[in-house]
Amino acid sequence: MKNSQKLGGIKKLQQNSNHEDLVDQEQICQTLKDEIIQILRMDEDHIAVIDTINALRSENFIESHKAIIKLRRTLSNFDQAEQIAKENELIPILFHIIQFGSTYLLKLEAAQIISILAAGRSEITRIIMQNGILQLSLTVLDGNQSELIMLIITILGKLAGESVKYRDSILQACSIEKIISKMESKYKSIYIWCLANLCIGRPSPKFDKIQSAFEIFAQVIMEEFNQQNLKMINDAIWALGYMIDGEPNRIAALINSGVVPQLINLLPMGNFVSILRIFECIFYGTEDQINYLLECGFIAHIRMIVDPKSREKSGDMIQTFAATETLFKVLSNQNFLVSLFRSLCDDNSNLRGDVLEVIGNAIQHGTNEDINHLVKNGLIKYLLRMFEIANEKEIASNHLKKGLEMLIKIIRKGEIKAKDNKSNQFFIIFVQLDGINVIQKLLSYKQDDVAKYALIFKQEFAI
C-alpha cells in the first residue's frame, strides 16, 4: 500500500554536476578521460539491458562506461524501466558499482539508474529493497561524496513515498539525524523532500524518531518565502501536518517552534490544503492551544478566504476551494467551534469582529444541516451571552447588530424547516436559554440602532 503522499517526487533527476568536470578529476590517464568525454558527448541512443549486463561483467573500462551511460539515457523517459528492473542480475550489479565502481562517474551513473527505477511500480521498489539498498545507503552515507549521497537520499525518499512499510524500514536502519548531518545547501530541497516522505503516512512514526526533522521543517517554513523555495516550504508544511497528528505534545512542539504565525501568513501563498491540515490537528489539541491559534490571527485570515466579497479578487487558493466548502471544513471540529463561539465574549474586539464575520458567512451560505451543527455546539447560547454582557464589556454596537442579524437568520431557517415557531427547534432553544428576556433588555439599549434591531426581532417572532 502506497504511503499517503509522494510529495510531488523528483520524476526526472536533474544533472547536478558537470560530468565532464568529474571525468577530469578522475585518477586515470588522459586518453581514457578523452574517450569517456567523447561517450558523454555522443548522441543519445538506447541499449538493451542484457548488453549492459554483459558490458559491466566484462570489466572493460571503456565498454562499462559506455553501457551504463547509454542505459541511463535509455531509462530517462522511463518507458523501459519496469522491464529492465525485472532483470534479476541488473540491480545487484548496479549496487556493486555504486560501492566499488572504478570511477566516480560510474558510481553516479549507477545511482541515477537506481533512482529512476525507484520511482517505478511496487514490483520494482520491492526488488530494490530486497537487494539491500538500506545497507548500501549506510555505506554511502558514511562517505563524503556529496553527489552520490544526494542520489542515495533521492532513492530513499522515493522508497519511503512508496509505502509505510518501506518508510519504517528506512527509519529503522538509518536515523533521521544521519540524513540531516549530510545535508548541503545546494541539495537542500532534495533533502527536505526526502525527510518529508520519511515523516508522512499513517500511522505516523514515533515522534522521537522524527523530531529532528520536525525542527528542520520549522526552520524551512520560517525562511523568506519566494518562488525558488516554494516547493521546499510546501513539502515541509505537508510533512508537519502528518507529524503533529492531533497529539497535544506534538502540537506543543509546533507552537513552541514559533511557526504558527508564519503558517497563517502563508495561507494566501503556500499550500492551503497542507496548512489547513496542520490547523485541523491543532483543533484536536487543548483549549489553550486552540485559543493560541485564534489569537495568532487565524480567524482574520479565514474571514478573508471565505468572504464572498473577496471572490472577485481571489487567487489560486480560493479557486481551489469553494468558500463555503472551506469554511465548513474548518468549522467541523467541535473543540474549535466552542473556542470560536467563546470568542464572541472576548475582550479582544478585533477577534470578536472577525468571528462574527466568519459565523455570519456560515449562516448565510450554509445548509440547514450546517446551521444545525452550529446551533448544537452552542451558537445561540454564546450569542445571547454576548448580548447579556454588552454593557459590562462595552461591546461595539455594530457587533451587537451583527449578532442580532445572525440570530434572526438562524431562527428564520428553523422556521422554514418547521413551518411555525411552535415546532421550530431553534426558537425552542432560544426560549429555553431565556432569550426572550435578553431581547427585552436590548429594547432599551443605550444605542438606538441596537434597540431598533431588537424591536425587529420582537415583532418578527412575536415575543
Side-chain angles (χ1 to χ4, degrees):
M1 182 177 180
K2 285 188 179 293
N3 207 341
S4 299
Q5 182 76 12
K6 268 201 168 182
L7 294 171
I10 304 175
K11 295 180 180 178
K12 188 173 182 181
L13 186 68
Q14 296 177 346
Q15 296 289 343
N16 290 289
S17 54
N18 188 314
H19 281 186
E20 292 188 20
D21 289 344
L22 290 175
V23 173
D24 283 335
Q25 297 170 25
E26 296 283 2
Q27 299 299 312
I28 54 177
C29 69
Q30 189 60 45
T31 301
L32 291 177
K33 288 182 181 180
D34 291 342
E35 288 195 54
I36 295 174
I37 290 174
Q38 189 62 35
I39 294 169
L40 289 169
R41 292 176 179 177
M42 288 172 57
D43 292 335
E44 293 189 14
D45 54 354
H46 293 179
I47 187 172
V49 64
I50 189 64
D51 294 335
T52 303
I53 291 173
N54 290 335
L56 295 175
R57 278 179 171 171
S58 72
E59 297 186 359
N60 180 291
F61 188 88
I62 294 299
E63 291 302 316
S64 294
H65 283 75
K66 184 184 295 185
I68 204 164
I69 291 169
K70 283 186 175 182
L71 182 62
R72 188 254 303 162
R73 290 171 174 172
T74 299
L75 289 175
S76 63
N77 61 12
F78 204 73
D79 288 341
Q80 303 183 42
E82 183 176 5
Q83 186 59 43
I84 286 175
K86 289 181 180 178
E87 296 286 347
N88 293 333
E89 297 173 276
L90 178 63
I91 289 177
I93 291 174
L94 293 174
F95 281 6
H96 180 82
I97 291 173
I98 291 171
Q99 192 165 1
F100 302 109
S102 58
T103 65
Y104 190 36
L105 175 63
L106 203 62
K107 294 181 178 183
L108 290 180
E109 292 285 356
Q112 286 192 65
I113 292 170
I114 296 296
S115 174
I116 294 170
L117 296 176
R121 298 181 182 179
S122 298
E123 178 64 16
I124 302 176
T125 53
R126 182 186 63 79
I127 294 170
I128 293 172
M129 289 292 290
Q130 287 181 345
N131 277 276
I133 185 63
L134 298 184
Q135 186 57 49
L136 174 63
S137 298
L138 290 174
T139 301
V140 173
L141 289 171
D142 282 336
N144 57 6
Q145 297 173 311
S146 63
E147 294 87 357
L148 185 59
I149 292 173
M150 176 273 297
L151 286 166
I152 290 296
I153 293 299
T154 303
I155 294 167
L156 293 178
K158 290 178 178 179
L159 293 173
E162 174 64 24
S163 76
V164 170
K165 178 182 177 182
Y166 293 162
R167 178 204 70 185
D168 292 343
S169 295
I170 294 168
L171 288 173
Q172 184 68 29
C174 179
S175 71
I176 286 282
E177 290 76 15
K178 181 77 169 179
I179 293 174
I180 291 173
S181 71
K182 295 295 181 177
M183 190 184 300
E184 295 185 49
S185 58
K186 60 181 177 180
Y187 302 131
K188 186 175 180 179
S189 62
I190 294 175
Y191 276 82
I192 296 302
W193 168 81
C194 174
L195 291 172
N197 265 358
L198 287 169
C199 295
I200 69 171
R202 296 285 186 264
S204 178
K206 291 183 178 179
F207 195 58
D208 59 351
K209 283 186 173 293
I210 57 175
Q211 188 165 4
S212 298
F214 185 98
E215 296 164 2
I216 294 293
F217 294 144
Q219 292 171 16
V220 168
I221 292 168
M222 295 300 289
E223 293 181 8
E224 183 178 355
F225 183 89
N226 55 56
Q227 289 302 313
Q228 285 68 44
N229 62 13
L230 171 62
K231 183 183 182 302
M232 182 172 67
I233 289 176
N234 281 337
D235 285 348
I237 290 170
W238 187 265
L240 281 185
Y242 278 91
M243 292 173 78
I244 62 175
D245 210 20
E247 295 182 9
N249 63 321
R250 298 189 182 197
I251 296 170
L254 179 78
I255 291 173
N256 292 337
S257 73
V259 79
V260 172
Q262 176 71 350
L263 287 171
I264 292 174
N265 292 332
L266 287 172
L267 274 170
M269 300 174 287
N271 188 325
F272 181 67
V273 180
S274 302
I275 297 173
L276 189 60
R277 179 192 293 274
I278 293 174
F279 294 154
E280 285 181 314
C281 289
I282 295 177
F283 300 158
Y284 289 95
T286 65
E287 183 180 332
D288 286 344
Q289 289 169 339
I290 297 172
N291 287 338
Y292 174 78
L293 176 61
L294 302 187
E295 290 166 2
C296 284
F298 173 67
I299 297 300
H301 280 73
I302 288 295
R303 170 186 172 180
M304 290 187 288
I305 292 166
V306 301
D307 185 354
K309 295 178 183 178
S310 70
R311 293 183 188 179
E312 294 180 0
K313 304 176 183 178
S314 66
D316 293 339
M317 175 185 64
I318 303 177
Q319 291 168 6
T320 304
F321 280 95
T324 304
E325 288 179 310
T326 303
L327 177 61
F328 282 101
K329 187 172 181 63
V330 171
L331 293 182
S332 62
N333 181 273
Q334 184 178 14
N335 294 335
F336 174 68
L337 278 178
V338 172
S339 294
L340 187 74
F341 298 160
R342 283 177 178 165
S343 299
L344 293 172
C345 303
D346 197 270
D347 291 333
N348 187 329
S349 180
N350 290 333
L351 175 59
R352 187 189 315 110
D354 290 330
V355 169
L356 285 166
E357 288 295 330
V358 169
I359 298 173
N361 277 316
I363 294 168
Q364 180 69 28
H365 303 286
T367 64
N368 284 338
E369 184 180 347
D370 296 327
I371 306 305
N372 190 50
H373 183 63
L374 298 178
V375 172
K376 279 186 175 180
N377 282 281
L379 176 55
I380 293 176
K381 177 179 73 173
Y382 285 104
L383 284 172
L384 292 174
R385 187 174 296 175
M386 179 180 72
F387 300 149
E388 286 183 298
I389 64 171
N391 286 315
E392 175 188 336
K393 294 224 175 189
E394 296 186 356
I395 292 177
S397 61
N398 61 315
H399 290 175
L400 295 174
K401 287 191 297 180
K402 182 72 174 180
L404 283 165
E405 287 176 0
M406 288 162 49
L407 190 57
I408 290 170
K409 289 177 181 178
I410 290 170
I411 297 178
R412 279 177 183 169
K413 284 184 180 282
E415 194 173 59
I416 292 170
K417 185 177 179 182
K419 306 299 183 186
D420 60 71
N421 271 344
K422 292 182 180 179
S423 54
N424 181 344
Q425 292 300 311
F426 297 160
F427 186 78
I428 291 171
I429 292 172
F430 166 79
V431 172
Q432 290 173 343
L433 293 170
D434 197 25
I436 294 175
N437 187 45
V438 173
I439 298 298
Q440 292 285 2
K441 290 179 179 178
L442 288 179
L443 291 171
S444 57
Y445 194 73
K446 58 187 177 182
Q447 298 288 342
D448 291 341
D449 47 355
V450 175
K452 177 183 175 181
Y453 271 87
L455 180 61
I456 292 172
F457 187 101
K458 177 183 178 180
Q459 291 173 341
E460 176 161 350
F461 301 108
I463 60 174

